[in-house]
């Protein structure tokens, strides 16, 4: 039998699995696929299509490929900036704005009146909904998400970003507090733009932050 080679990354079900659980290669690959699909949709520049039809095409062809498997991502600040840039690229394509027009991002926001089709917060909200689902389910996924491997010791240095850090920085809720709201059928919502909470915040500091929760 041939020996199984040891690799740093491999492809599984359309996603890149890395040895250090870094999702940046996976996110970059999805962004490249979405931009390539957007370039192939030449008919989006056709005057015979209404704006509503163009938006439906974007959501069906581009957004579906961009957000494939996005509920499992751990999004760092650099990844968030790349994902936000994709949302601006989509609007520039729909509006027919070329790079030679020298339209700034601030001008683009005024043109679309702040109606972004996609930002990194779109994925964070999906992660919140998925977190609430598995918290209510209380199955194997929940134990895998909330558990830890026995006998492991964290290396020195800054802790690596975890899957829940995106939800913590967007809601200022600990895992147990978010689980309590999920069991109460309260949907977790993104807070207004706030600085990232410190990873070492105590529960007292977290209680001092406002919560934005909307009941279903």
């Amino acid at each position: 039998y041939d020996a199984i080679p040891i690799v740093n990354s491999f492809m599984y079900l359309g996603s890149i699995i890395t040895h250090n659980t870094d999702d940046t290669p996976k996110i970059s690959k999805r962004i490249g696929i979405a931009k390539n699909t957007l370039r192939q949709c030449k008919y989006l520049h056709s005057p015979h299509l209404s704006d509503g039809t163009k938006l439906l095409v974007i959501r069906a062809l581009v957004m579906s490929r961009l957000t494939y498997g996005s509920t499992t991502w751990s999004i760092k600040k650099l990844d968030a900036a790349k994902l936000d840039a994709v949302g601006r690229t989509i609007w520039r394509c729909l509006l027919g704005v070329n790079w030679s027009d020298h339209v700034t991002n601030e001008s683009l926001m005024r043109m679309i009146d702040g109606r972004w089709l996609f930002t990194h917060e779109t994925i964070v909200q999906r992660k919140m909904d998925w977190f609430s689902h598995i918290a209510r389910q209380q199955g194997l996924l929940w134990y895998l998400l909330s558990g830890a491997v026995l006998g492991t010791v964290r290396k020195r240095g800054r802790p690596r970003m975890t899957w829940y850090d995106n939800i913590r920085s967007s809601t200022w809720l600990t895992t147990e507090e978010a689980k309590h709201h999920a069991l109460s059928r309260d949907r977790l919502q993104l807070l207004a733009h706030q600085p990232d909470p410190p990873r070492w915040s105590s529960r007292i500091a977290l209680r001092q932050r406002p919560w934005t929760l909307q009941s279903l």
Side-chain angles (χ1 to χ4, degrees), residues 94-157:
L94 292 178
L95 297 176
V97 177
N98 196 4
W99 65 270
S100 59
D101 297 331
H102 301 288
V103 177
T104 63
N105 293 333
E106 291 75 13
S107 300
L108 179 65
M109 180 176 290
R110 289 192 295 269
M111 292 171 62
I112 64 178
D113 196 19
R115 296 177 292 112
W116 294 111
L117 286 176
F118 174 82
T119 63
H120 77 279
E121 294 179 347
T122 306
I123 295 179
V124 176
Q125 184 63 61
R126 291 189 178 190
K127 291 179 62 174
M128 292 180 185
D129 295 339
W130 190 66
F131 173 87
S132 300
H133 174 70
I134 62 176
R136 291 190 295 266
Q137 197 176 32
Q138 289 292 305
L140 178 61
L141 287 176
W142 171 254
Y143 294 111
L144 291 175
L145 179 63
S146 59
V149 180
L150 295 177
T152 58
V153 179
R154 186 179 66 83
K155 297 181 180 179
R156 296 179 60 183

Side-chain angles (χ1 to χ4, degrees), residues 192-210:
H193 293 287
Q194 302 265 1
D196 293 337
R199 299 165 66 93
W200 43 265
S201 295
S202 64
R203 296 177 64 89
I204 297 177
L206 288 170
R207 291 195 187 99
Q208 294 175 353
R209 304 298 301 182

Side-chain angles (χ1 to χ4, degrees), residues 14-202:
S15 297
I16 300 176
I17 309 299
T18 58
H19 71 286
N20 57 357
T21 65
D22 184 14
D23 290 328
T24 298
K26 188 186 309 181
I27 295 174
S28 299
K29 180 176 181 294
R30 284 287 128 195
I31 291 176
I33 293 175
K35 287 185 176 180
N36 185 40
T37 304
L38 186 63
R39 285 192 296 266
Q40 293 177 358
C41 296
K42 302 295 184 182
Y43 44 82
L44 290 176
H45 304 286
S46 173
H48 303 291
L49 291 179
S50 63
D51 294 338
T53 302
K54 292 179 181 179
L55 293 178
L56 291 176
V57 171
I58 289 294
R59 291 191 176 98
L61 299 181
V62 180
M63 303 300 298
S64 60
R65 296 183 179 182
L66 175 62
T67 59
Y68 175 79
S70 59
T71 53
T72 63
W73 294 350
S74 297
I75 304 174
K76 297 189 283 289
K77 288 186 177 181
L78 181 60
D79 301 326
K82 293 180 180 179
L83 292 170
D84 293 342
V86 174
R88 294 190 292 267
T89 301
I90 293 175
W91 264 118
R92 289 176 184 271
C93 178
L94 292 178
L95 297 176
V97 177
N98 196 4
W99 65 270
S100 59
D101 297 331
H102 301 288
V103 177
T104 63
N105 293 333
E106 291 75 13
S107 300
L108 179 65
M109 180 176 290
R110 289 192 295 269
M111 292 171 62
I112 64 178
D113 196 19
R115 296 177 292 112
W116 294 111
L117 286 176
F118 174 82
T119 63
H120 77 279
E121 294 179 347
T122 306
I123 295 179
V124 176
Q125 184 63 61
R126 291 189 178 190
K127 291 179 62 174
M128 292 180 185
D129 295 339
W130 190 66
F131 173 87
S132 300
H133 174 70
I134 62 176
R136 291 190 295 266
Q137 197 176 32
Q138 289 292 305
L140 178 61
L141 287 176
W142 171 254
Y143 294 111
L144 291 175
L145 179 63
S146 59
V149 180
L150 295 177
T152 58
V153 179
R154 186 179 66 83
K155 297 181 180 179
R156 296 179 60 183
R158 182 179 180 180
R160 184 177 297 170
M161 171 173 283
T162 63
W163 181 87
Y164 185 76
D165 285 340
N166 294 135
I167 299 179
R168 180 185 292 108
S169 62
S170 300
T171 61
W172 288 81
L173 297 176
T174 63
T175 306
E176 289 301 321
E177 290 168 340
K179 177 184 176 182
H180 172 73
H181 286 284
L183 296 177
S184 302
R185 292 284 177 174
D186 292 332
R187 189 185 185 193
L188 300 176
Q189 294 285 347
L190 294 168
L191 290 175
H193 293 287
Q194 302 265 1
D196 293 337
R199 299 165 66 93
W200 43 265
S201 295
S202 64

